Amino acid sequence: MPSFAVNSPLPKFAELALPLPMRQTFTYRLTPNLQENVKMGARLLVPFGKRNLTGYVVELHQTLDEALEIEESQIKDALELLDEDPLLTEEILRLTNWAADYYASSWGEVLKASLPAGMNVETEQIVRITSNGRDELLKVSTAKTAKVQLLKYLAEHEEVSMRELGKEFGASTAQRIIRDLAKQHWVTTFLRNLASKTKPKRRKAVRLLNQESRVVSQELKPLILNQKQEAIIQILIENEGEIGFAELLEQADVSASVLQTLEKRGVVQTFVREVFRDPLQDAKLPKLNDFELTDGQAEAFESIKTALDSSIYQAFLLFGITGSGKTEIYIRAMKTALDNGKSSLMLVPEISLTPVFSRRLRAVFGDEVAILHSSLSAGERFDEWRRIRKGSARVVIGTRSAIFAPLVNAGLIIVDEEHDGSYRQQESPFYNARDLAVVRANFAKAVVVLGSATPSLETFYNSEQGKYTLLTLPNRIANRPLAKAELVDMRTVFREHGKDEVFAPELLSAIEEAHAKGEQSIILLNRRGFSQFVLCRGCGESIKCRNCDITLTFHRRDNVLMCHYCGFRAKVPQKCPLCDSKFIYFIGEGTEQLEDILRRKFSGLRIERIDRDSMSRRGKLEGILQDFSEHKIDMLVGTQMLAKGHDFPKVTLVGVVSVDAGLALPDFRSAERTFQLLTQVAGRAGRGDLPGRVLIQTFYPEHYALQHACTQSYENFYREEVRFRQKLSYPPFVALASILVHHTNYNYAFDNAAILKECLQNANSQRQARILGPAPAPLARLKGEHRLQILIKAANRKKLRELLDFALHEAQEKFCDLKTVNVEIDPINLL
């Protein structure tokens, strides 16, 4: 990436990455005004086809690259510079470039994903009636045709967006009529830039003028002030000479006229200032306690501190059992980084964990803390991002996309619960924030700490290979024992009762016993809704989503059937749509049904449910977790959102229902995910002074993942699972890529998959990789599209990328439609 000296010729051309699914950059000419102001990392509005797009400047040229083989006359002019100061730092440009190359993604799409939502300028098509159109309208004004009605609408409104016309006349009808009218020159169309959704927030404020003293009587002695005026000045002095206009009037209990009088006398000045929206403004901060590190914590922290003080890249795996005190090590490492003049970033897997950590970090670091996650409003996220960019926030906590936070002088990156699948972006552009954290730390010569009680197999394998330094915390704080875990054989329960039971008698007894002692419990079922699917017992038909090859889930609260993949909703049928039978049954249970059963069985308990359906309203999740921590709630029922990171000392019982569903998934990681989920949720019990108990209901108690989760022995599970992976050639022993070919027309998808398979085989002439498929994906139809899957297993990532690059290039030459192809490197989900 070239830089230009002060006296060097100005750049005439800019290389832009555009947010399109295309792995290339585009060259645009810079007008003289743009040449003087454009910088690397800035955004430019540029024409692309019939629309305008926001592009990201990734390179500047004084001459055209000869390799482009394009005439200067064919180069289009950039339209507008959107940033006085570039939004993208050199570090983020480098990181996103690496991510796009590694994950075979579009650089422009990765850059777009790296910025807060709403910062990209969008355009809309505007329609305006011409003078010829008005003349024509006078001739045909009495006609009742849709064309005439639309012309009348345009004549009344001057300029109208196509979106508005679509609402008024129907989208397809409006588009067809506008095309006809434009051909006759009765209307003209053009593109208009929409205002950015995110802007700085500005509020009226008041400042004290000529203030050198903090004592009213000395500073303003020559003035004769009344009581209200003195109150205003005193409040300003107490707030270091500046305060918000409305806040000042409220605190002084005066009208605006009192301020106006002081302003006329030159004592104060009203002005408009920028106000940062603070997501933690009303947060209840925890009390700070002094902790003395255990020997294990002290040893682990000292290793991290040594690396931080040396300003070198080093990667650590902090492998500590649940309740071993990893968070305290994180906080002390952040303090060390701040003392060294460096910034820190902490990634957490779920938004649900962010309030817990962010409040604690705010209590420790004050206004240095910024938060980044998708539940913030667009304005809050924009302001937090700008505080980070300016360096006024040097401790950042956030979810997956926070890996692109524009840190100033990054020194420490922490990935908590590094094994969690939430760090993987599951749609284009694909990336894994955990792996990008390691790469970013390497680029910045920073320290990265990957923390988990159940590390991913790849991460633990890397520690064994010496890529990461392993730090272990084998004991809980105060040597508290791990919760006692037991497997409940539901086959025995079925034989004894002659039918399926949602809850085993052992679990119901344990719930009653725990709450008789005034203790709390958590019940986990990793499935939302009331019933898993709806079945006709007349013909055996199950009601499926019209867009996906999966059954619809019944949600009783809304009395609706819902697809959890595409969001499709349908009414609950009164009879079978296939055979008209009235024998409709709801099969399987979800968290909504568990909550209903438990409320009926334990009417005296205060029970709340936590899942994606119940937590849709902003702030509700944080409120429930706060109430649970204060023992205003006795039991939480929910999905895996309950399994991670929470610390509730009075929880002594954890029950897990229907654990076998996760094991049955057609994915080589199903055993690992099940083990991790069970171990993590078991770690929520017995974290205080009271012992914990975990009951896991299963029809397959012999499975090794359940056996090792019951003893909470990660090392034993790892040894058994890693042998399975090696034998069947799965990561970490091979580099894996999943290619999904998708289209609404099955034959079209199949033809493209066949071309791609042929090109892959041609590229694999020396048999350096195994190519499997194409075959229907486990979810063969999703969101209205048929899906065919090709898996590639290569000895290493270099050979994998060489194979992919060659095959994709050849496939494009053979007219394979690459828009139907999704390439995912290092997939964590093969569904």
Side-chain angles (χ1 to χ4, degrees), residues 521-540:
S521 60
I522 290 175
I523 306 297
L524 179 136
L525 170 61
N526 204 23
R527 188 163 57 234
R528 296 153 50 203
F530 190 87
S531 293
Q532 189 176 357
F533 61 95
V534 179
L535 180 73
C536 171
R537 289 195 174 175
C539 66

Side-chain angles (χ1 to χ4, degrees), residues 37-98:
N37 297 290
V38 72
K39 299 174 184 175
M40 293 277 292
R43 296 175 304 158
L44 282 174
L45 191 67
V46 295
F48 189 86
K50 294 183 178 181
R51 54 182 172 155
N52 296 342
L53 293 176
T54 301
Y56 310 93
V57 179
V58 297
E59 201 164 347
L60 294 169
H61 305 289
Q62 293 163 354
T63 58
L64 278 179
D65 187 348
E66 293 180 1
L68 290 175
E69 297 181 355
I70 188 171
E71 296 292 334
E72 185 173 341
S73 58
Q74 297 176 276
I75 302 291
K76 294 182 179 180
D77 288 344
L79 301 177
E80 183 182 349
L81 178 64
L82 301 176
D83 309 311
E84 294 180 8
D85 295 315
L87 293 180
L88 296 161
T89 64
E90 183 178 345
E91 182 186 11
I92 297 302
L93 286 174
R94 185 182 181 190
L95 181 66
T96 52
N97 188 23
W98 185 94

